[in-house]
């Protein structure tokens, strides 16, 4: 028993030292999703390697990828960005601004003033018209500042154009069965054209190396320029928003309206003293036109709900701006390559089961594929266990013996100890073996085995010998060798054929258990290994 335990511990120590002696290398089995058919791949790899799977040209946005590593021991919804620019009403500032487009800040020019004559009974002086001109210029300047609403709209529209670009970016990423290299090149061309159309290089003041990187379509540089362009455009929109909130403040508009009303009264009073009907009409028309323009701007501001609008546009900077750049940055090799974690080949067989199938509601039809990659290990000491049926055999000293008393002729008071004939030349048992071997990766594997079996609760047998392991997923082991067991034999005080006095003889012939060697054959089934 001590010998078997010593051998087992020795093998375990050798196995541990062997495993620590070499540094594992990593190897990937590469599969091209676009060209390879569903396959079952078989390979025998050194247990010193870490082996993984690399699948190229598979767009993770379009497909779900599941993988299961088994080891065997034989044993079209609208993107959120679109809602940002479609569920808010834009200000109609263009209509109001058009009223000022043909106007200057001059109420009446000097030539007109020089030709004005008062009606009978009225007096007019040049100072009267100079004052009106000054007041008109001041009011015109204040009304003209309200055009910041239109500028804000321009930047808003500039950002809204990003939605089409963003959509086109996503469309490229939804191309089915297209190689990564082609999608990358199309993405670069699309982004470069978008930035050129937006005049981004001049707006950002690109020069030197930055401009060279841009024109050479450097992937990283263009991604950085895209991010900067969107950020600058957003910042400009917020500058205009601050002007809008200042010029359209309630108190400011109220004061402007009051001053304009007072100006119109002054114009009407002065115009009433003018004899020339044409000049009179020009004066009142200009004053009223300024009021109409102010009313247009005010109505456009109230109609737009500029506060709610700017909440939307600020979300662009915090969420969607990043979504656009993230969409651009998505096109990189890592998102079109699947790596299955390399596995240590510590077991007899490692199986990679990979399923690639289209995601729900994708706009195209990716091809569903499955791969089964089986890798059997070779090299390295290995321990397996099996259990099954044993046949134990040997000489008379190996099989349990029974004895009887026979009468001695002519000596009625004496008996002779006689061994009974043994009908069984072997005895069966059920047990388990531990197999130690160097893995070959094949279906026939020699091993050194040792283990135990039992015949009954008190009959324990120990075995040592060679084995032949056969099979892959289901493995049967044929073993043979030496058995050490406890055998029931006549006790030390007696011996077979001894004559003893009946009156002093024990009722039954005394027997004791002795350690004896024999042989065994076994057929066992692989349960597990460590």
């Amino acid at each position: 028993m001590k010998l078997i335990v010593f051998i087992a511990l020795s093998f375990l120590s050798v196995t541990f030292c062997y495993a620590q002696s070499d540094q594992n290398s990593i190897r990937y089995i590469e599969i091209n999703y676009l060209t390879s058919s569903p396959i079952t791949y078989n390979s025998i790899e050194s247990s010193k390697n870490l082996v993984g799977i690399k699948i190229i040209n598979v767009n993770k946005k379009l497909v779900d990828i599941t993988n299961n590593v088994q080891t065997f021991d034989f044993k079209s919804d609208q993107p959120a960005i679109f809602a940002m620019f479609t569920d808010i009403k834009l200000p109609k500032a263009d209509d109001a601004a058009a009223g000022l487009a043909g106007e200057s800040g001059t109420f009446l020019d000097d030539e007109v003033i020089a030709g004005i004559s008062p009606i009978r009974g009225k007096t007019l002086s040049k100072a009267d018209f100079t004052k009106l001109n000054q007041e008109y210029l001041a009011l015109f300047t204040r009304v003209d500042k309200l055009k910041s609403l239109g500028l804000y709209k321009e930047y808003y529209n500039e950002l809204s154009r990003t939605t089409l670009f963003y959509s086109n970016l996503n469309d490229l990423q939804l191309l089915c069965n297209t190689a990564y290299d082609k999608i990358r090149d199309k993405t670069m061309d699309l982004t470069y054209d978008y930035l050129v159309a937006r005049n981004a290089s001049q707006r950002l003041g690109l020069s030197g190396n930055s401009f060279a990187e841009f024109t050479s379509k450097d992937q990283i540089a263009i991604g950085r320029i895209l991010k900067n362009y969107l950020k600058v455009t957003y910042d400009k929109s917020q500058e205009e928003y601050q002007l809008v909130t200042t010029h359209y403040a309630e108190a400011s508009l109220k004061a402007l309206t009051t001053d304009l009303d007072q100006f119109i009264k002054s114009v009407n009073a002065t115009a009433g003293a003018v004899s020339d009907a044409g000049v009179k009409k020009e004066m009142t028309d200009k004053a009223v036109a300024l009021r109409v323009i102010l009313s247009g701007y005010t109505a456009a501001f109230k109609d737009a709900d500029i506060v709610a609008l700017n909440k939307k546009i600020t979300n662009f900077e915090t969420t969607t701006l990043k979504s656009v750049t993230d969409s651009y940055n998505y096109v990189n090799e890592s998102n079109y390559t699947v790596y299955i974690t390399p596995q240590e080949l510590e077991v007899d067989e490692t199986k990679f089961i990979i399923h690639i199938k289209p995601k729900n509601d994708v706009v195209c039809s990716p091809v569903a594929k499955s791969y089964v990659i089986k890798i059997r290990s070779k090299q390295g000491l290995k321990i397996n266990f099996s259990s099954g049926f044993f046949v134990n055999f040997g000489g008379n000293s190996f099989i349990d013996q029974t004895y009887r008393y026979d009468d001695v002729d002519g000596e009625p008071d004496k008996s002779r100890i006689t061994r009974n004939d043994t009908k069984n030349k072997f005895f069966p048992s059920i047990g388990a073996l531990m197999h130690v071997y160097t893995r070959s990766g094949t279906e026939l594997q020699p091993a050194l085995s040792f283990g135990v079996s039992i015949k009954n609760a008190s009959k324990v047998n120990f075995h040592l010998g060679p084995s032949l392991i056969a099979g892959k997923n289901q493995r049967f082991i044929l073993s043979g060798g030496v058995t050490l067991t406890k055998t029931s034999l006549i006790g030390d005080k007696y011996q077979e054929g001894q004559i003893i006095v009946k009156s002093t003889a024990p009722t039954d012939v005394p027997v004791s258990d002795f350690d004896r060697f024999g042989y065994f054959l076994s057929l066992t089934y692989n349960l597990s290994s460590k």
Side-chain angles (χ1 to χ4, degrees), residues 131-231:
K131 181 181 179 182
L132 287 179
N133 268 345
Q134 292 173 345
E135 291 176 354
Y136 180 80
L137 177 59
L139 290 169
F140 180 92
T141 301
R142 290 165 67 185
V143 172
D144 188 55
K145 290 181 179 180
L146 298 180
K147 69 181 180 182
S148 58
L149 186 64
L151 295 175
Y152 177 74
K153 176 185 175 182
E154 288 182 14
Y155 285 113
Y156 181 92
N157 284 335
E158 188 67 22
L159 291 175
S160 72
R161 293 186 185 98
T162 308
T163 60
L164 178 59
F165 167 67
Y166 179 61
S167 175
N168 291 336
L169 271 182
N170 286 336
D171 286 346
L172 286 177
Q173 295 162 23
L174 297 177
L175 291 176
C176 277
N177 308 316
T178 304
Y180 161 71
D181 290 347
K182 291 184 178 180
I183 294 176
R184 180 199 59 202
D185 292 344
K186 288 179 179 292
T187 299
M188 293 295 298
D189 291 340
L190 174 67
T191 307
Y192 179 80
D193 292 344
Y194 166 78
L195 292 172
V196 169
R198 305 274 75 79
N199 202 19
S201 62
Q202 292 186 16
R203 289 191 180 191
L204 298 176
L206 298 181
S207 61
N209 290 336
S210 297
F211 186 75
E213 289 176 337
F214 175 64
T215 55
S216 65
K217 298 185 181 180
D218 178 84
Q219 186 174 9
I220 296 176
I222 287 184
R224 184 176 62 251
I225 292 168
L226 172 64
K227 182 178 180 179
N228 290 342
Y229 165 73
L230 294 175
K231 184 65 167 63

Side-chain angles (χ1 to χ4, degrees), residues 328-398:
Y328 173 85
N329 292 328
Y330 175 84
V331 182
N332 64 77
E333 189 173 5
S334 66
N335 287 317
Y336 290 80
T337 305
V338 176
Y339 287 92
I340 308 301
T341 304
Q343 303 294 311
E344 293 185 9
L345 303 182
E346 296 179 340
V347 295
D348 294 322
E349 181 177 280
T350 301
K351 181 189 291 186
F352 295 85
I353 303 174
I354 305 166
H355 299 291
I356 302 176
K357 61 181 181 179
K359 291 184 177 181
N360 295 330
D361 301 324
V362 295
V363 297
C364 60
S365 300
V367 178
K369 292 184 179 181
S370 296
Y371 306 99
V372 178
I373 298 94
K374 299 178 182 178
I375 301 173
R376 291 179 65 85
S377 304
K378 65 179 181 179
Q379 299 180 342
L381 288 179
K382 187 65 180 176
I383 297 176
N384 276 81
F385 295 89
S386 66
S387 64
F389 180 75
F390 291 72
V391 175
N392 305 274
F393 56 92
N396 289 333
S397 64
F398 182 74

Side-chain angles (χ1 to χ4, degrees), residues 80-154:
I81 187 174
F82 282 91
M84 177 177 296
F85 293 109
T86 57
D87 63 357
I88 275 291
K89 194 171 184 180
L90 286 172
K92 298 178 181 179
D94 295 344
D95 297 336
L100 290 178
E103 295 291 336
S104 66
T106 302
F107 185 57
L108 294 174
D109 58 34
D110 292 341
E111 185 178 351
V112 172
I113 293 174
I116 294 175
S117 58
I119 60 177
R120 183 175 297 180
K122 300 289 184 178
T123 59
L124 290 172
S125 67
K126 183 177 181 180
D128 295 329
F129 294 100
T130 299
K131 181 181 179 182
L132 287 179
N133 268 345
Q134 292 173 345
E135 291 176 354
Y136 180 80
L137 177 59
L139 290 169
F140 180 92
T141 301
R142 290 165 67 185
V143 172
D144 188 55
K145 290 181 179 180
L146 298 180
K147 69 181 180 182
S148 58
L149 186 64
L151 295 175
Y152 177 74
K153 176 185 175 182
E154 288 182 14

Side-chain angles (χ1 to χ4, degrees), residues 1-15:
M1 179 62 182
K2 293 181 179 179
L3 176 62
I4 294 177
V5 172
F6 174 77
I7 294 173
L9 292 175
S10 298
F11 273 114
L12 288 172
S13 299
V14 170
T15 302

Side-chain angles (χ1 to χ4, degrees), residues 15-84:
T15 302
F16 178 79
C17 293
Y18 185 91
Q20 298 296 317
S21 62
D22 293 288
Q23 184 176 1
N24 291 341
S25 60
I26 298 177
R27 194 178 88 81
Y28 284 95
I29 297 172
E30 183 172 302
I31 299 171
N32 190 334
Y33 167 75
L34 296 181
T35 59
S36 64
S37 301
I39 61 171
T40 297
Y41 179 94
N42 294 282
S43 176
I44 297 177
E45 299 285 345
S46 171
S47 61
K48 299 178 183 179
N49 290 340
L50 290 170
V51 179
I53 311 300
K54 177 183 178 182
I55 306 176
I56 63 173
N57 289 324
V58 55
N59 189 344
K60 298 177 185 177
K61 184 174 285 189
L62 302 180
V63 297
D64 288 318
I65 302 163
T66 59
N67 77 87
N68 178 26
V69 179
Q70 299 179 355
T71 57
F72 297 91
D73 267 334
F74 304 118
K75 68 162 209 191
S76 62
D77 290 334
Q78 177 177 257
I81 187 174
F82 282 91
M84 177 177 296

Side-chain angles (χ1 to χ4, degrees), residues 189-478:
D189 291 340
L190 174 67
T191 307
Y192 179 80
D193 292 344
Y194 166 78
L195 292 172
V196 169
R198 305 274 75 79
N199 202 19
S201 62
Q202 292 186 16
R203 289 191 180 191
L204 298 176
L206 298 181
S207 61
N209 290 336
S210 297
F211 186 75
E213 289 176 337
F214 175 64
T215 55
S216 65
K217 298 185 181 180
D218 178 84
Q219 186 174 9
I220 296 176
I222 287 184
R224 184 176 62 251
I225 292 168
L226 172 64
K227 182 178 180 179
N228 290 342
Y229 165 73
L230 294 175
K231 184 65 167 63
V232 167
T233 303
Y234 166 77
D235 290 343
K236 290 291 186 181
S237 74
Q238 294 309 287
E239 291 176 9
E240 293 300 328
Y241 175 73
Q242 294 302 319
L243 293 176
V244 168
T245 55
T246 299
H247 300 321
Y248 284 86
E250 182 177 358
S252 178
L253 287 176
K254 184 176 181 180
L256 178 57
T257 301
T258 299
D259 292 345
L260 182 56
D261 288 343
Q262 184 60 45
F263 173 73
I264 291 174
K265 289 180 181 179
S266 298
V267 169
N268 289 336
T270 303
V274 175
S275 61
D276 189 326
V279 173
K280 182 184 296 188
K281 184 176 185 304
E282 181 181 355
M283 292 174 64
T284 56
D285 285 350
K286 277 198 170 186
V288 172
L290 207 55
R291 173 184 279 170
V292 171
I293 294 169
L294 174 59
S295 297
Y297 272 132
T298 303
F301 176 76
K302 291 180 179 179
D303 188 48
D305 190 0
I306 200 71
V307 175
L309 179 63
N310 201 61
K311 285 182 179 179
K312 291 288 183 179
I313 206 170
T314 53
N315 285 338
F316 179 88
E317 193 271 340
T318 56
T319 58
T320 308
L321 185 148
K322 186 176 185 302
S323 296
V324 175
T325 54
D326 284 350
S327 183
Y328 173 85
N329 292 328
Y330 175 84
V331 182
N332 64 77
E333 189 173 5
S334 66
N335 287 317
Y336 290 80
T337 305
V338 176
Y339 287 92
I340 308 301
T341 304
Q343 303 294 311
E344 293 185 9
L345 303 182
E346 296 179 340
V347 295
D348 294 322
E349 181 177 280
T350 301
K351 181 189 291 186
F352 295 85
I353 303 174
I354 305 166
H355 299 291
I356 302 176
K357 61 181 181 179
K359 291 184 177 181
N360 295 330
D361 301 324
V362 295
V363 297
C364 60
S365 300
V367 178
K369 292 184 179 181
S370 296
Y371 306 99
V372 178
I373 298 94
K374 299 178 182 178
I375 301 173
R376 291 179 65 85
S377 304
K378 65 179 181 179
Q379 299 180 342
L381 288 179
K382 187 65 180 176
I383 297 176
N384 276 81
F385 295 89
S386 66
S387 64
F389 180 75
F390 291 72
V391 175
N392 305 274
F393 56 92
N396 289 333
S397 64
F398 182 74
I399 305 297
D400 288 341
Q401 302 295 320
T402 60
Y403 302 86
R404 69 179 186 274
Y405 293 117
D406 287 343
D407 292 334
V408 178
D409 294 340
E411 297 184 68
D413 60 336
K414 295 182 178 180
S415 297
R416 179 182 287 108
I417 298 175
T418 304
R419 179 175 57 85
N420 294 319
D421 290 338
T422 302
K423 300 294 192 299
N424 294 322
K425 301 302 180 182
F426 63 89
F427 66 86
S429 59
I430 296 175
L433 291 173
M434 180 170 70
H435 312 282
V436 182
Y437 57 91
T438 300
R439 289 181 295 199
S440 66
T442 63
E443 295 190 25
L444 289 177
Q445 175 71 62
L448 175 64
S449 304
F450 48 94
V452 296
S453 67
I454 57 173
K455 179 181 180 182
N456 51 52
S458 61
K459 189 78 167 180
V460 179
N461 312 298
F462 300 93
H463 308 282
L464 175 65
S467 297
L468 184 63
I469 304 173
K472 288 183 63 176
N473 295 334
Q474 297 182 350
R475 311 214 302 181
F476 289 92
I477 300 95
L478 181 64

